[in-house]
Amino acid sequence: MASTHHLYLIRHLPTAGNLERKYIGWTDDPIVPVEEPVRPSLVPAAGIVYGSDLVRARQTGALLMPDANYVADARLRECHFGKFEGKTYAELEKDKDYRNWIDDPYSFRPRGGESLADVEKRVLEALVSLPNGAVAVTHGGPIRIALTRYSPVPRDFWSWQIPHGSVWRLEWSNHNEMKEGGRCTSLSEVPITGKGTM
């Protein structure tokens, strides 16, 4: 019988733009300074952490898993918000294109940006390529996409709350089940300061 297949997804720590509730997609902002250094005992498989190529993901990986080698993959980036980039809901709420995108993000895209269908294609391709037990540092949008696609209980994209620094563990019966788009058998948010290996 094939062994189970599991992945860990971590949302990067916050940036100044995140704290101001701005859409920060491909803007390459650093994380805000961390007052108390986070030193969890996360040890990713083979000493490698995968993640978005954006600086906030790289910095989060280095802070949470300082001894791991970081392998950047642009497919794990946040959605490109185009003309909505750097703006808040309050600045966009009366914009017709923004309303269309909020109401149907898979069919509509921000002006000059990506639809969630575009993002989903690249993110799922990246996730399927990761080895069993991989840890990936990414963004809220890609994690919501993964949870919406793979959750054992179907839920809407916007219904997921993905706090900065949260860790999500997804498990399937085997890798083929994941590659074929099957829903995971187990999904949980896990503490970031566990013992042992991930």
Side-chain angles (χ1 to χ4, degrees), residues 11-16 18-19 30-40 55-65 164-165 192-193:
R11 185 175 182 190
H12 65 82
L13 297 171
T15 67
N18 294 140
L19 297 177
I31 61 174
V32 295
V34 177
E35 289 185 23
E36 291 185 34
V38 179
R39 294 288 179 221
V55 71
R56 59 192 182 267
R58 290 174 180 272
Q59 289 174 329
T60 299
L63 190 64
L64 299 180
M65 295 157 282
H164 290 97
I192 199 152
T193 56

Side-chain angles (χ1 to χ4, degrees), residues 77-175:
R77 280 185 173 200
E78 180 60 275
C79 178
H80 188 306
F81 295 121
K83 298 293 184 185
F84 302 161
E85 192 82 15
K87 296 188 175 166
T88 65
Y89 174 82
E91 294 172 295
L92 294 167
E93 67 181 323
K94 293 186 177 14
D95 184 306
K96 183 181 177 195
D97 290 338
Y98 176 75
R99 295 301 328 156
N100 286 337
W101 177 70
I102 288 293
D103 292 342
D104 187 359
Y106 285 91
S107 299
F108 292 93
R109 66 184 67 229
R111 289 185 300 279
E114 297 177 286
S115 71
L116 283 187
D118 298 331
V119 181
E120 180 179 71
K121 181 178 182 207
R122 66 174 164 79
V123 167
L124 296 182
E125 182 181 273
L127 294 179
V128 166
S129 74
L130 295 176
N132 186 32
V135 176
V137 181
T138 186
H139 308 269
I143 295 174
R144 280 187 184 95
I145 284 170
L147 299 182
T148 300
R149 177 67 193 94
Y150 295 125
S151 173
V153 178
R155 284 178 52 182
D156 177 74
F157 175 84
W158 296 117
S159 71
W160 296 99
Q161 298 299 311
I162 314 294
H164 290 97
S166 62
V167 182
W168 298 83
R169 185 180 192 278
L170 294 84
E171 183 176 320
W172 294 263
S173 297
N174 57 64
H175 191 226

